[in-house]
Amino acid sequence: MSQCFDLVVRLTDDSDFYFLYNLVISEEDFQSLKVQQGLLIDFTSFPQKFIDLLEQCISEQDKENPRFLLQLSSAFDHSPSNLNIVETNAFKHLTHLSLKLLPGSDTDIKKYLATCLSTVKEEKQQLEQKLRKTEEDLTRQLNYVQQTLSEKSRELDKLRSEWTSQTTSLSSRHMQDLTAEREKALEIQARLQQQNEQLRQELESSHHRSTQQLQSKVSELETANRELIDKKYKSDSTIRDLKAKLASLEEECQRSKQQVLSLRRENSTLDTECHEKERLVNQLQTRVAVFEQEIKDKEQLVLRTKEVLEATQQQKVRNVESKQLQISKLEATVRSLSEELIKANGIIKKLQGDLKTLIGKIKVKNTVTVSQEKILQETTEKLQREQRELQDTQQQLRQKEEEVMKLKEQLEATVQKLDESREVLKTNENVITWLNKQLNENQFSRKQETFGMFETPAAGLRTGSVPHNMVINHYD
């Protein structure tokens, strides 16, 4: 609703007259709304676009999963509410438009109720005027109909008088025609009896032939149906076997996958242990190299000291004891270093053995994983082949079921034709029996007429007219 270049949005509820929300959007307000919500339209085209969105929400409100939703959310009773037009898809809820509506005050609700009351009064006045007009039209039509009814009743009386006169003349003429038609009916009855007898014989022979043919077709169809049912049972058993094989293969595949995963985890743990052992070996090798260098330095020092001792033995006899003590200390240090070197070499050899065993285990695990992967690949290929075979058998089963349905339809059609032929035969037999009955009645009435002509001719006419009327009505 556009008035004075402003858009007025009013939200009401017919069941609750105190439910009222208002919003007045001017062109300046629309510009700020356009910037806030990223709208791409102008203020002049905004009302029509808003109406189109509301119509889409109304058209999709009865669907199970509507695409457009109209949501009204409010925190409190007298606080502003947000009217959102939301488009839903599989990814997110996209809000096209969000308007903040203010709840109506008491004066606004009174004005709204006053306008509603005035519109209701106007509609009431219009309906009262329409009612008065329709009453006047109906009274005029009633008067006209009463006049025409009186005229038609007079015409009906005239027609009744004419009809009575015509019926008297026609009854006298009909009595004359009836006597002439009796003689014709007897001749026609004799001819019809012969024709009915021939037709009955022909129908019985054709019915016998058709029943034999249909029985042979039914037996053939039953044998074909039994064969197809046996084939269906066989295909069902093969499908069950294939499903069981498929389930066992899937279980083996799952077990092999779990084994491969466990072997890969063990392989990764062994790789980490191998790296740690190699790191320890490298550290010990560096320590051994350091120890060997220290031993070499000590040996060089011992040699130097020996040379010094040999050169100064004669001159330094007094200091022999101290030097021997130093030599003994040095030899003890050399022995301790050699023992540590021996221990380090033993540790290195042990680590090298552990490393070799780990490498062997890793090789074994790698071969096992390769073999398991090959087995897994073979089982997957086998599983795919089994699935393809299962799909082929299912397709063949569907084809067989379609053939069975077609044969059943043919069987039903043949049975229906057989029933129809039986019904036709039954109707023909009923017609023959009815014709025989009519013939017997006519012969009996003829005998009564000939007997009554000698006694009272008028009474004979009355008694013989009834069955002849029945026969003429039937042939007509």
Side-chain angles (χ1 to χ4, degrees):
M1 173 176 171
S2 176
Q3 187 178 3
C4 296
F5 300 101
D6 290 336
L7 177 65
V8 178
V9 180
R10 180 175 292 160
L11 188 64
T12 60
D13 188 3
D14 293 334
S15 61
D16 186 5
F17 292 104
Y18 294 100
F19 183 83
L20 179 65
Y21 286 91
N22 292 318
L23 176 63
V24 179
I25 302 173
S26 63
E27 191 168 0
E28 294 177 355
D29 297 332
F30 176 74
Q31 295 300 326
S32 63
L33 184 68
K34 182 178 180 181
V35 172
Q36 288 175 2
Q37 299 187 11
L39 302 178
L40 303 175
I41 55 174
D42 296 329
F43 183 68
T44 56
S45 60
F46 175 69
Q48 186 61 42
K49 293 292 182 182
F50 182 59
I51 292 166
D52 294 337
L53 289 172
L54 291 175
E55 287 177 351
Q56 284 183 349
C57 294
I58 292 166
S59 64
E60 295 191 0
Q61 66 181 353
D62 295 329
K63 294 181 180 179
E64 292 182 357
N65 296 315
R67 186 182 171 191
F68 286 91
L69 295 172
L70 189 65
Q71 295 178 350
L72 181 67
S73 60
S74 62
F76 300 102
D77 293 336
H78 299 288
S79 62
S81 299
N82 292 321
L83 183 67
N84 300 323
I85 297 174
V86 181
E87 181 181 0
T88 61
N89 53 27
F91 183 69
K92 65 179 291 187
H93 294 281
L94 182 64
T95 302
H96 285 283
L97 185 65
S98 179
L99 300 175
K100 188 174 285 186
L101 302 175
L102 296 173
S105 61
D106 293 335
T107 56
D108 294 332
I109 292 169
K110 288 177 181 178
K111 287 180 182 178
Y112 169 66
L113 291 174
T115 53
C116 290
L117 186 62
S118 62
T119 53
V120 167
K121 285 182 177 179
E122 289 176 358
E123 289 177 357
K124 183 184 176 184
Q125 290 176 359
Q126 291 175 1
L127 288 171
E128 286 177 352
Q129 290 176 1
K130 286 181 181 179
L131 183 62
R132 282 195 295 273
K133 287 181 181 178
T134 51
E135 284 179 353
E136 291 174 357
D137 295 332
L138 287 170
T139 51
R140 284 197 298 272
Q141 290 178 3
L142 183 62
N143 293 323
Y144 176 72
V145 167
Q146 286 176 353
Q147 291 176 1
T148 53
L149 183 62
S150 61
E151 291 175 359
K152 294 292 181 183
S153 62
R154 287 193 294 274
E155 290 178 359
L156 182 63
D157 294 332
K158 289 181 182 178
L159 288 170
R160 279 179 180 172
S161 62
E162 291 176 358
W163 182 71
T164 51
S165 62
Q166 287 179 1
T167 49
T168 53
S169 63
L170 284 171
S171 61
S172 62
R173 196 180 298 168
H174 178 67
M175 294 297 289
Q176 293 174 1
D177 293 333
L178 189 62
T179 55
E181 290 292 330
R182 280 177 184 172
E183 297 175 354
K184 291 180 182 178
L186 291 171
E187 295 176 357
I188 291 166
Q189 197 168 8
R191 286 199 301 271
L192 281 171
Q193 190 173 4
Q194 293 177 356
Q195 290 177 0
N196 285 325
E197 190 67 27
Q198 292 177 359
L199 189 114
R200 185 175 66 80
Q201 292 175 358
E202 290 175 357
L203 284 171
E204 284 179 353
S205 62
S206 65
H207 176 67
H208 185 67
R209 287 195 299 273
S210 64
T211 51
Q212 288 179 353
Q213 292 175 359
L214 288 170
Q215 284 177 357
S216 62
K217 285 183 181 179
V218 166
S219 62
E220 291 175 357
L221 289 170
E222 284 178 351
T223 54
N225 193 7
R226 282 196 294 273
E227 291 175 357
L228 287 171
I229 287 167
D230 294 333
K231 288 181 182 178
K232 182 183 176 183
Y233 289 147
K234 289 178 182 178
S235 60
D236 288 333
S237 63
T238 53
I239 285 167
R240 284 195 294 273
D241 294 334
L242 288 171
K243 283 181 178 179
K245 289 180 182 178
L246 182 64
S248 63
L249 287 171
E250 285 178 352
E251 289 177 357
E252 289 179 1
C253 182
Q254 290 293 330
R255 285 197 296 271
S256 60
K257 283 180 180 179
Q258 291 176 359
Q259 288 177 1
V260 167
L261 289 171
S262 64
L263 288 170
R264 282 178 180 171
R265 287 195 291 271
E266 289 179 0
N267 195 2
S268 63
T269 55
L270 289 171
D271 287 332
T272 54
E273 288 178 358
C274 182
H275 288 304
E276 289 178 357
K277 294 291 177 68
E278 285 178 354
R279 186 170 56 78
L280 288 171
V281 167
N282 290 323
Q283 290 177 359
L284 290 170
Q285 283 178 355
T286 52
R287 287 180 67 186
V288 167
V290 171
F291 286 145
E292 286 178 351
Q293 187 65 37
E294 288 180 355
I295 288 165
K296 286 180 181 178
D297 293 336
K298 297 291 183 180
E299 286 177 353
Q300 288 177 2
L301 193 118
V302 167
L303 290 172
R304 287 174 188 171
T305 52
K306 282 181 180 180
E307 288 176 356
V308 171
L309 285 170
E310 287 175 357
T312 58
Q313 271 181 1
Q314 295 175 359
Q315 294 178 3
K316 295 181 179 178
V317 176
R318 297 175 182 176
N319 296 323
V320 170
E321 292 178 358
S322 62
K323 294 293 182 182
Q324 285 178 353
L325 291 170
Q326 289 180 358
I327 289 164
S328 62
K329 288 179 181 179
L330 288 169
E331 286 177 354
T333 54
V334 167
R335 281 196 298 272
S336 64
L337 287 170
S338 63
E339 288 175 357
E340 288 179 358
L341 183 61
I342 290 163
K343 289 179 181 178
N345 287 323
I347 292 165
I348 288 165
K349 287 179 181 179
K350 188 177 180 182
L351 289 171
Q352 286 176 355
D354 292 335
L355 183 62
K356 287 179 181 179
T357 54
L358 283 171
I359 290 166
K361 287 181 180 179
I362 288 165
K363 287 180 180 179
V364 171
K365 294 290 184 183
N366 288 325
T367 54
V368 170
T369 52
V370 169
S371 64
Q372 290 291 332
E373 286 177 353
K374 286 181 181 178
I375 291 166
L376 180 63
Q377 189 175 2
E378 289 176 358
T379 52
T380 52
E381 290 176 356
K382 191 174 180 182
L383 184 62
Q384 288 176 359
R385 286 198 298 273
E386 293 292 335
Q387 285 178 353
R388 286 196 293 271
E389 289 179 0
L390 181 62
Q391 288 176 0
D392 294 333
T393 52
Q394 285 178 354
Q395 190 174 2
Q396 290 176 2
L397 180 62
R398 283 195 292 272
Q399 290 176 359
K400 295 295 182 183
E401 286 178 353
E402 289 176 358
E403 290 178 0
V404 169
M405 291 298 291
K406 287 180 182 178
L407 289 171
K408 283 182 180 179
E409 289 176 356
Q410 290 177 3
L411 181 62
E412 289 176 356
T414 52
V415 170
Q416 188 176 3
K417 287 180 181 178
L418 182 61
D419 293 332
E420 288 176 357
S421 63
R422 285 175 181 170
E423 288 178 358
V424 169
L425 183 62
K426 192 174 181 181
T427 52
N428 290 327
E429 289 176 354
N430 291 326
V431 169
I432 290 164
T433 53
W434 185 81
L435 288 170
N436 289 322
K437 186 178 179 182
Q438 291 292 323
L439 182 62
N440 294 323
E441 287 178 356
N442 287 324
Q443 288 176 357
F444 181 72
S445 64
R446 187 177 177 186
K447 288 178 181 179
Q448 283 183 351
E449 284 176 359
T450 54
F451 181 74
M453 284 173 68
F454 292 104
E455 293 178 355
T456 54
L461 253 169
R462 285 196 296 275
T463 56
S465 64
V466 176
H468 282 290
N469 279 328
M470 290 172 67
V471 173
I472 289 164
N473 287 329
H474 175 73
Y475 286 116
D476 288 334

